[in-house]
Amino acid sequence: MSQDVWSAVDDYVGRTLIPADPVLDDVRAATADAGLWPIAVSPPQGKLLHLLARMHGARSILEIGTLGGYSTIWLARALPPDGRLVTLEADRKHAQVAENNLDAAGFGEIVEVKVGKALDTLPSVEGPFDLIFIDADKPNNPEYFRWALRLSRPGSVIIVDNVVRDGALADAGSTDPAIVATREMHELIAAEPRVEATVVQTVGSKGYDGFTLALVTR
């Protein structure tokens, strides 16, 4: 199997199961035009986040790592009319792009964008949240997960993106700070009696990666 095959399958899934969406197309275009890194979730991954939030009946969502707001909009679309979403973005330029995209998508009043390093802004966030999506700087994943636990309740779902990293997650000798921290996060999860979790490996247009899916049980 190759990257070409993975991308072709993603293209097929997008054409077949994800209807044309001018709003999200405009968000991706505006994000690219602003010069932001092309690291947002793919359309199938965005749809997965949306479905997980809907299946869970989430009324409150916390996102750590906004970028241009693409995943934010997928998540916001899963909320009921009285739902709320708080998203944290370290870079002021990224946050402005996201706010413009959220306004254009009709979610400017529902979504609160907090600007600043997440570890600085998290103490000001009021939980609990039904669903927490972590997709920010990987070396801080252990601290982000600890904060997610503080801001959760029994039944909350925590999703951490980009944890497999081309299989490097299995490399105990890696010195890559992202790998070291992500392995530390999984060891933290394994020792945490309040959490049940697994890792789902993925392939697609964004390569070989995966996400951690955790349920707060008590």
Side-chain angles (χ1 to χ4, degrees), residues 117-181:
K117 292 181 178 179
L119 293 181
D120 293 334
T121 57
L122 277 163
S124 68
V125 175
E126 294 185 10
F129 292 90
D130 299 323
L131 186 145
I132 300 169
F133 178 49
I134 301 172
D135 188 13
D137 54 307
K138 309 312 172 186
N140 280 317
N141 270 347
E143 284 304 310
Y144 293 151
F145 196 88
R146 289 185 179 97
W147 269 105
L149 276 178
R150 293 187 191 110
L151 294 169
S152 66
R153 58 168 179 76
S156 293
V157 170
I158 303 172
I159 303 166
V160 189
D161 203 10
N162 307 128
V163 301
V164 175
R165 308 188 73 77
D166 288 319
L169 179 65
D171 183 3
S174 176
T175 58
D176 181 335
I179 302 303
V180 172

Side-chain angles (χ1 to χ4, degrees), residues 20-101:
D21 195 321
V23 171
L24 286 174
D25 290 344
D26 287 348
V27 167
R28 293 175 72 88
T31 301
D33 290 346
L36 276 62
W37 297 326
I39 55 174
V41 300
S42 67
Q45 291 169 342
K47 184 67 175 289
L48 174 63
L49 291 172
H50 174 81
L51 291 174
L52 288 171
R54 283 182 62 187
M55 287 187 285
H56 187 52
R59 304 180 67 86
S60 58
I61 297 174
L62 172 64
E63 178 183 53
I64 302 176
T66 315
L67 195 65
Y70 184 76
S71 57
T72 320
I73 291 168
W74 273 112
L75 289 166
R77 286 178 168 181
L79 289 169
D82 61 344
R84 73 178 183 115
L85 193 157
V86 178
T87 184
L88 312 182
E89 174 53 51
D91 188 289
R92 187 167 296 278
K93 176 185 175 182
H94 295 181
Q96 185 60 63
V97 172
E99 287 176 342
N100 292 342
N101 286 334

